[in-house]
Amino acid sequence: MADIITLGIIALYCIMLIGIGAWASRKILNTEDYIVAGRSLGFWVFTILMVASICSGMTLLGVSGLGFATGWPTIWEQIFLPAAAAFCITVFGMKLHTVGRDNGYLTLQDYFAHRFESVRYLRGLSAIAGIVVSVIYLVGQYTAISIVLVWLFGIPHWQALIIAGIIITAYTVIGGLYAVSWTTLIQGLILIFGVIAIAPILIAKAGGLTYINTVLAGIDPNFVEPYFPSPVYAGYAFATPEFLFSFGILLMVGLACAPHVINNVLAARETKYFKWAPLVAFLIYLVVMFLVKFVGFAVRVLVEEGHVVLPDVVNRGDFAFIVGVEYAAPNVLIWAFFAVIVLAAVMSTTDRLMLTIGTMFSWDIFKNILHRDAPDKQVLLVSRISVFLAAVVSLLLAINPPEMLAWLIWMGIGVMLSTFAVPIIAGLYWRGATTKGALAAMATGLIGSGVFGYYYQYIDTLPVHFSLYSLTLALIVMIAVSLVTAKNSQKALDETMTGWYIFRRR
Amino acid sequence: MPFGLQPHTILAVGVVTLIIIILLVIWALRFPEDD
């Protein structure tokens, strides 16, 4: 529970974030400045932004929670998440950045409209789909923030939501991507160094890694195996080899094509950053992820031995990180600092998501479909209003949070994967992919993920994550429809560097 | 058991991580220089 020092440090931290927003607002002269920070992000700001956009609230709370509940078989999540950053930069980012700079793209939808020569329909459908999946994801993020604030201050859930909503909306509305990227850099650094500092202390307090693993093996021998042999013997044993396969695609490809992640590649200043950014992002994120997972293992041992107690709630594992840090932190100052780390992790994804929703509405729907001759100032104003509205809508939805936060987040990623992966990959690498093929694949993915997701959640379990079915369906539809419909012009294909290559041909 | 883990657990996690790192190093080394 919070005391005056914790409260003071968190208040100071929030004032700093709003200060950055105010500073950033002075750099914003037009829509391009607001949406892609004037394409000016340097190597480290860009690389940390990629990591921190993926590293959501659930990354910290959920990863340690999953480690607490399932042991080593789910360690693959800690490889797939960093791989998503690398996958996005290499497979999507390099090409999108190059053609994005040539053609002045502000969003992924600009690319779709150009590549598939569909100014209205494909742009409209992908923007609407992007907004829907981002709102689902955003509700999950706000719920995670609320978990932290409720725990810290003992205030009601709705008060926690309003406080978080006001602070994040303030700096995002005024500062755009400049504010989001700079606050994210600071939040990302706090997160990285914080986890590296506290995790070893906690692991040592629980008896060291070898001892922790021995205790885990005593609880369930499969806790030290690379996967569970069968999902039937326990509720937590879902990570079978076939599930892990679909889970790998879900996290690596699904997060890589999430609108709030992929749009970052358009904001990097220079193409040469894409040389080392994938490896640097992967390694930094990998170390942080493994340490957070080990925190989950360590807290399991501490709970088994009666040193700490988790709250008696459905999602008690989600509290493993907070309870563990509280136990390991030697004094209240450090504990307050770690409260800031947890908040930083949740807020850095939330602000990026809100900006993405605002952008998709103002730029793709308002400017490019509804009001093509709208002046830049008006588009900027609509951007800011829609960021605000995105916050209001998702806060209203988050007032009644779902019981299983991880399920909501994975569902959001599943919908993103099914809707966007096939049109992006086919668009970038297959000259035969057509406008109608992309439209059909996107619609199939969006609707299919809803149907399979509903079945998975309410009717019967499936051996793999539901998104693998809707992704496969979208892929089949893309190929079939593209083969029988009119091809796009050679000019559009050449201008968007479409084909089986990544680097610009000389 | 090393670190209290099954040897094949360490091997599986290590090999997959190493393969990704090697692929990303190859990516960087083959990255074209500026025009």
Side-chain angles (χ1 to χ4, degrees):
Chain A
M1 214 53 68
D3 51 60
I4 193 76
I5 297 177
T6 315
L7 199 69
I9 289 183
I10 290 175
L12 213 67
Y13 177 68
C14 293
I15 291 168
M16 183 189 74
L17 293 179
I18 293 175
I20 291 175
W23 164 79
S25 69
R26 292 175 21 206
K27 293 167 80 99
I28 293 168
L29 304 174
N30 55 40
T31 316
E32 183 173 289
D33 288 340
Y34 191 74
I35 295 178
V36 288
R39 293 179 218 281
S40 68
L41 302 188
F43 179 82
W44 286 105
V45 181
F46 167 67
T47 307
I48 302 291
L49 181 65
M50 285 300 294
V51 170
S53 300
I54 296 175
C55 181
S56 68
M58 279 318 285
T59 314
L60 216 51
L61 306 183
V63 164
S64 47
L66 201 61
F68 175 89
T70 64
W72 279 84
T74 52
I75 192 75
W76 301 101
E77 188 195 23
Q78 281 49 75
I79 299 173
F80 299 148
L81 284 172
F87 190 87
C88 183
I89 300 172
T90 52
V91 179
F92 301 151
M94 181 65 207
K95 248 187 186 185
L96 278 177
H97 181 262
T98 311
V99 288
R101 208 171 41 175
D102 290 353
N103 300 290
Y105 299 161
L106 297 188
T107 63
L108 177 67
Q109 281 71 22
D110 285 337
Y111 166 75
F112 280 139
H114 188 189
R115 160 64 180 85
F116 291 110
E117 300 172 287
S118 171
V119 177
R120 281 171 173 263
Y121 296 114
L122 197 62
R123 183 193 286 279
L125 179 64
S126 63
I128 291 168
I131 291 172
V132 170
V133 297
S134 300
V135 168
I136 296 174
Y137 209 60
L138 196 51
V139 172
Q141 301 304 324
Y142 270 118
T143 313
I145 294 186
S146 161
I147 289 180
V148 179
L149 291 180
V150 168
W151 174 257
L152 275 174
F153 302 120
I155 51 176
H157 175 64
W158 66 271
Q159 279 182 17
L161 282 177
I162 289 176
I163 294 171
I166 288 174
I167 293 164
I168 302 170
T169 310
Y171 71 75
T172 311
V173 166
I174 56 178
L177 189 64
Y178 275 116
V180 167
S181 55
W182 280 99
T183 51
T184 294
L185 179 71
I186 292 169
Q187 290 171 329
L189 290 175
I190 291 176
L191 172 75
I192 291 163
F193 287 108
V195 168
I196 290 173
I198 197 80
I201 299 175
L202 189 58
I203 293 164
K205 279 206 168 194
L209 199 55
T210 305
Y211 178 73
I212 290 171
N213 288 329
T214 312
V215 175
L216 287 180
I219 301 166
D220 179 345
N222 286 321
F223 275 174
V224 290
E225 294 284 341
Y227 55 83
F228 287 108
S230 152
V232 291
Y233 81 94
Y236 57 77
F238 60 87
T240 56
E242 58 271 24
F243 184 86
L244 286 170
F245 171 75
S246 64
F247 199 46
I249 294 176
L250 172 74
L251 295 183
M252 200 172 86
V253 187
L255 274 172
C257 60
H260 68 287
V261 176
I262 197 167
N263 279 325
N264 292 335
V265 302
L266 300 173
R269 193 191 309 139
E270 292 186 48
T271 312
K272 67 178 182 192
Y273 298 161
F274 291 71
K275 181 176 184 175
W276 290 108
L279 184 66
V280 173
F282 179 78
L283 288 177
I284 292 175
Y285 204 5
L286 188 80
V287 171
V288 172
M289 284 290 87
F290 266 72
L291 288 175
V292 174
K293 190 77 160 194
F294 292 168
V295 165
F297 297 164
V299 173
R300 181 66 185 252
V301 172
L302 293 171
V303 167
E304 292 293 324
E305 295 181 340
H307 298 297
V308 295
V309 180
L310 294 187
D312 188 22
V313 289
V314 189
N315 58 341
R316 59 199 287 263
D318 290 344
F319 288 88
F321 189 85
I322 313 179
V323 172
V325 169
E326 200 176 22
Y327 175 76
N331 66 47
V332 70
L333 250 179
I334 295 185
W335 162 231
F337 177 64
F338 278 94
V340 169
I341 293 177
V342 181
L343 276 181
V346 242
M347 288 162 88
S348 64
T349 305
T350 310
D351 55 15
R352 186 67 185 101
L353 270 166
M354 283 179 11
L355 186 68
T356 308
I357 295 173
T359 303
M360 284 188 283
F361 183 78
S362 63
W363 180 252
D364 294 309
I365 296 178
F366 180 75
K367 164 77 183 172
N368 279 289
I369 296 178
L370 298 177
H371 241 284
R372 291 192 67 84
D373 49 0
D376 200 61
K377 273 202 164 149
Q378 199 179 4
V379 179
L380 193 55
L381 182 67
V382 173
S383 290
R384 289 181 155 142
I385 294 172
S386 30
V387 169
F388 177 74
L389 288 179
V392 173
V393 170
S394 42
L395 281 171
L396 286 175
L397 289 171
I399 283 179
N400 289 312
E403 274 186 21
M404 278 291 288
L405 186 53
W407 182 82
L408 187 74
I409 302 254
W410 289 346
M411 193 188 89
I413 305 172
V415 180
M416 290 177 196
L417 173 72
S418 317
T419 312
F420 292 113
V422 171
I424 297 174
I425 294 173
L428 288 170
Y429 294 99
W430 183 34
R431 290 177 81 89
T434 67
T435 311
K436 292 197 169 78
L439 271 169
M442 203 175 271
T444 307
L446 187 63
I447 298 165
S449 57
V451 172
F452 285 108
Y454 182 84
Y455 183 89
Y456 184 64
Q457 182 64 13
Y458 296 108
I459 300 176
D460 201 2
T461 53
L462 298 164
V464 296
H465 192 265
F466 72 83
S467 59
L468 193 61
Y469 298 96
S470 36
L471 177 74
T472 312
L473 213 58
L475 182 66
I476 294 168
V477 167
M478 175 57 128
I479 296 171
V481 175
S482 290
L483 288 177
V484 295
T485 50
K487 301 275 178 282
N488 290 110
S489 72
Q490 293 298 321
K491 182 171 172 285
L493 296 178
D494 291 339
E495 281 173 357
T496 53
M497 286 174 66
T498 305
W500 189 237
Y501 61 96
I502 291 183
F503 302 112
R504 192 190 291 281
R505 290 167 164 173
R506 306 251 171 108
Chain B
M1 291 196 292
F3 300 108
L5 282 173
Q6 295 292 346
H8 56 259
T9 305
I10 298 178
L11 196 69
V13 172
V15 166
V16 171
T17 310
L18 209 61
I19 288 174
I20 296 175
I21 291 173
I22 290 170
L23 285 174
L24 294 176
V25 170
I26 292 174
W27 160 271
L29 294 178
R30 295 192 55 182
F31 197 91
E33 292 305 316
D34 279 348
D35 293 326

